[in-house]
């Protein structure tokens, strides 16, 4: 009876499942996990593809900005034209305008073509000199005024070619498009080809793009980033000097000294909210306070630096507080236990251990500020600025531009050559951002301690 009952009970029970056999529930769970992995891999693949497309577009359009077409030829600096007094007086020589230098260049170009045996049939003197940039005469004038002893000599000069000629050698301009272009003709392009074959014209590295000032819409080949890079450097210096000590001091007070009440809670909530405020709001604030109320000059690095400081402070405060929280409480307790005051415990023990996180947050905040455009547009940094600002502190109040604003300015101009310039400026900006992020990573790895 007992054996029968036990057999019946066993027959009515659920059969035991083997771990080696996958049931329907396990298959569904495994399928869901496989789908999740696929979605993650697909998201990463799409992100990488988008990044590759972006970099390919920027590099493809912008690398050409670092190379420019130049005309290299001997130029006889006629003293009767450039120094009519014959005394070498720099003030007298300054009275010679670029028109006088243009005539000297035009004569030198005609002589160089004749010496190379290059025929110019069907082209007027104006069309031949049109192969040169309008900036060529100004560059030669600056070179002579910097060294008046050159007057009366024949020197080899490297002059910018016209932007259309440069675009022709880079594939941006064709013979067909030249037929419809009032700034260049197919005959001029054919002459440019002959000059390149004769060694008078060539593509080479263009230092003026990195160190020169901006140029007008008629001279895209002469446009550079020098003023924008210097203006951005001045603003980052102001942001670093103001935002770092203020942000660190505010973080130390809120994290270590401030009482926990509704006022400190309100301050913390507002700091978090400020970190999410659109940057253009800070531009409106800077326009209202720093320019309209305080009377600071528009388009000056001091105003841009103050606006970006306000925008960067919440980022630095949040990062610094997180770094202070990451220091174990035992460090504070040990310092207090051996007789240190609370300020000594923070400055001698907590702050040095939190420094990697503080520096990382600061550099990331600076990198974010470096790429901001909207607040700078509102304070007038969109203006055309060609002259370099003076050295600090006077230079902080001189008109200047910034790298992201310069990119915006280039994209607003009609000449297709400025698209290349804008992409080149983006490359420079990306290099600065990558360097700043690399420094942040190196500092964190160098000073980071694991608890």
């Amino acid at each position: 009876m007992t054996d029968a009952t036990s057999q019946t009970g066993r027959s009515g029970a659920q059969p035991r499942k083997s771990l080696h056999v996958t049931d329907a529930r396990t298959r569904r769970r495994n399928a869901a996990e496989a789908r999740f992995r696929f979605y993650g891999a697909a998201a990463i693949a799409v992100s990488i593809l988008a990044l590759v497309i972006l970099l390919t577009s920027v590099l493809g359009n912008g690398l050409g900005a670092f190379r420019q077409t130049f005309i290299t030829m001997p130029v006889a600096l006629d003293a009767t034209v450039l120094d009519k007094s014959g005394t070498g007086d720099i003030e007298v020589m300054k009275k010679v305008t670029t028109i006088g230098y243009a005539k000297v260049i035009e004569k030198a170009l005609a002589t160089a073509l004749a010496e190379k045996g290059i025929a110019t049939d069907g082209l007027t003197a104006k069309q031949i000199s049109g192969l040169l940039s309008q900036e060529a005469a100004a560059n030669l004038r600056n070179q002579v005024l910097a060294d008046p002893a050159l007057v009366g000599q024949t020197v080899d000069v490297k002059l910018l070619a016209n932007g259309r000629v440069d675009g022709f050698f880079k594939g941006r301009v064709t013979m067909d498009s030249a037929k419809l272009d009032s700034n260049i003709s197919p005959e001029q392009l054919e002459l440019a080809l002959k000059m390149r074959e004769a060694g008078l014209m060539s593509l080479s590295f263009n230092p003026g793009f990195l160190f020169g000032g901006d140029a007008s819409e008629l001279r895209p080949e002469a446009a550079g980033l020098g003023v924008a890079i210097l203006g951005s450097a001045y603003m980052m210096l102001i942001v670093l000097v103001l935002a770092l000590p203020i942000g660190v001091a505010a973080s130390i007070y809120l994290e270590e000294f401030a009482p926990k009440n509704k006022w400190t809670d309100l301050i913390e909530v507002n700091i978090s909210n400020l970190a999410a405020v659109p940057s253009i709001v800070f531009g409106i604030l800077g326009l209202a306070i720093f320019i309209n109320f305080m009377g600071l000059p528009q388009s000056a690095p001091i105003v841009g630096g103050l606006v970006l400081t306000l925008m960067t402070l919440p980022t630095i405060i949040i990062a610094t507080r997180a770094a202070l929280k990451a220091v174990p409480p035992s460090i504070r307790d040990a310092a207090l236990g051996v007789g240190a005051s609370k300020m000594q415990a923070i400055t001698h023990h907590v702050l040095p251990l939190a420094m990697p996180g503080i520096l990382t947050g600061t550099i990331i905040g600076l990198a974010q500020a470096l790429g901001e455009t909207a607040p700078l547009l509102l304070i007038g940094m969109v203006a055309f600025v060609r002259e370099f600002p003076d050295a600090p502190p006077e230079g902080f109040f001189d008109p200047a531009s910034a790298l992201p604003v310069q990119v915006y300015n280039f994209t607003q101009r009609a000449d297709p050559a400025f698209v290349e310039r804008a992409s080149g400026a983006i490359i420079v900006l990306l290099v600065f951002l990558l360097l700043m992020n690399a420094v942040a990573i190196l500092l964190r790895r160098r000073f980071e301690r694991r608890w």
Side-chain angles (χ1 to χ4, degrees):
M1 184 69 179
T2 303
D3 294 340
T5 303
S6 60
Q7 290 175 2
T8 303
R10 284 196 299 268
S11 62
Q14 293 292 334
R16 302 179 66 180
K17 298 179 181 179
S18 173
L19 295 177
H20 300 285
V21 178
T22 304
D23 59 5
R25 181 181 179 184
T26 304
R27 286 194 296 270
R28 289 195 301 270
R29 187 169 59 191
N30 292 342
E33 181 179 351
R35 286 195 301 271
F36 182 78
R37 290 181 177 179
F38 172 77
Y39 295 152
I44 294 174
V46 170
S47 301
I48 293 176
L49 179 61
L51 178 61
V52 170
I53 294 174
L54 173 64
L55 292 178
T56 301
S57 174
V58 172
L59 293 176
N61 292 326
L63 286 178
F66 296 91
R67 300 178 72 237
Q68 196 70 31
T69 304
F70 291 93
I71 297 177
T72 305
M73 62 182 180
V75 177
L77 302 175
D78 191 352
T80 59
V81 177
L82 306 181
D83 184 14
K84 296 180 180 180
S85 65
T87 60
D89 187 356
I90 190 68
E91 295 301 325
V92 175
M93 295 174 62
K94 285 182 178 179
K95 295 180 180 179
V96 181
T97 64
T98 55
I99 297 176
Y101 283 88
K103 294 178 180 179
V104 171
I105 294 174
E106 183 178 334
K107 181 179 178 181
L109 180 57
T111 303
L113 292 174
E115 290 178 353
K116 295 291 184 179
I118 300 175
T120 59
D121 299 336
L123 291 174
T124 64
K126 183 178 179 180
Q127 288 176 316
I128 296 173
S129 61
L131 296 177
L132 285 160
S133 168
Q134 296 182 21
E135 193 74 10
N139 291 340
L140 181 60
R141 182 175 183 271
N142 294 336
Q143 184 178 345
V144 171
L145 293 179
D147 186 8
L150 295 175
V151 176
Q153 302 180 28
T154 299
V155 296
D156 288 333
V157 180
K158 195 174 183 180
L159 301 172
L160 285 168
N162 182 284
R164 293 294 197 275
V165 176
D166 179 67
F168 175 66
F169 290 124
K170 293 177 180 177
R172 191 172 59 245
V173 177
T174 63
M175 290 291 184
D176 292 334
S177 65
K179 295 177 182 178
L180 307 175
D181 196 334
S182 60
N183 295 314
I184 199 70
S185 66
E187 292 76 18
Q188 287 175 294
L189 295 180
E190 291 175 359
L191 177 59
L193 288 173
K194 295 177 183 178
M195 292 176 64
R196 185 176 68 172
E197 294 173 356
L200 292 176
M201 190 177 291
S202 62
L203 271 170
S204 60
F205 177 69
N206 181 23
F209 179 64
L210 294 176
F211 306 110
D214 197 3
S216 66
E217 291 195 21
L218 300 177
R219 307 175 183 182
E221 65 280 352
L225 302 175
V227 176
I229 292 175
L230 192 58
S232 291
Y234 281 0
M235 287 190 295
M236 291 303 102
L237 180 60
I238 294 171
V239 173
L240 181 63
V241 170
L242 294 179
L244 180 59
I246 295 175
V248 172
S251 302
I252 291 175
Y253 176 76
L254 289 174
E255 194 62 33
E256 304 290 343
F257 295 99
K260 302 300 180 183
N261 53 38
K262 61 180 182 181
W263 297 112
T264 55
D265 292 341
L266 180 64
I267 292 173
E268 292 176 0
V269 169
N270 280 283
I271 290 174
S272 300
N273 289 337
L274 284 174
V277 169
S279 59
I280 196 170
V281 175
F282 291 97
I284 297 173
L285 178 66
L287 177 64
I289 296 179
F290 299 129
I291 295 178
N292 294 340
F293 178 72
M294 298 179 62
L296 292 176
Q298 293 186 14
S299 191
I302 184 66
V303 180
L306 290 173
V307 170
L308 295 179
T309 296
L310 295 177
M311 193 188 72
T312 308
L313 267 176
T315 303
I316 294 179
I317 292 174
I318 293 172
T320 302
R321 293 192 65 187
L324 293 173
K325 288 179 182 179
V327 178
S330 58
I331 300 294
R332 299 173 177 81
D333 297 338
L336 296 174
V338 297
S341 66
K342 190 168 185 179
M343 179 60 72
Q344 289 174 328
I346 293 171
T347 56
H348 295 169
H349 301 279
V350 177
L351 196 58
L353 294 176
M355 193 56 66
I358 295 173
L359 293 177
T360 301
T362 301
I363 294 175
I364 291 176
L366 289 175
Q368 177 188 1
L370 179 63
E372 285 295 339
T373 307
L376 302 181
L377 296 179
L378 286 177
I379 62 172
M381 296 200 80
V382 70
F384 176 82
V385 180
R386 182 172 174 81
E387 300 299 326
F388 283 81
D390 293 333
E394 293 82 3
F396 291 151
F397 297 88
D398 291 339
S401 184
L403 274 174
V405 176
Q406 195 65 61
V407 174
Y408 172 81
N409 280 337
F410 284 161
T411 59
Q412 299 303 302
R413 298 176 185 175
D415 197 300
F418 282 109
V419 175
E420 179 185 79
R421 286 298 197 267
S423 299
I426 292 173
I427 293 174
V428 174
L429 183 59
L430 288 177
V431 168
F432 279 115
L433 294 177
L434 290 174
L435 288 176
M436 295 177 74
N437 282 276
V439 170
I441 294 172
L442 290 176
L443 288 175
R444 174 174 286 279
R445 290 186 176 181
R446 172 66 179 82
F447 297 106
E448 187 176 27
R449 292 189 181 183
R450 299 185 182 278
W451 311 104

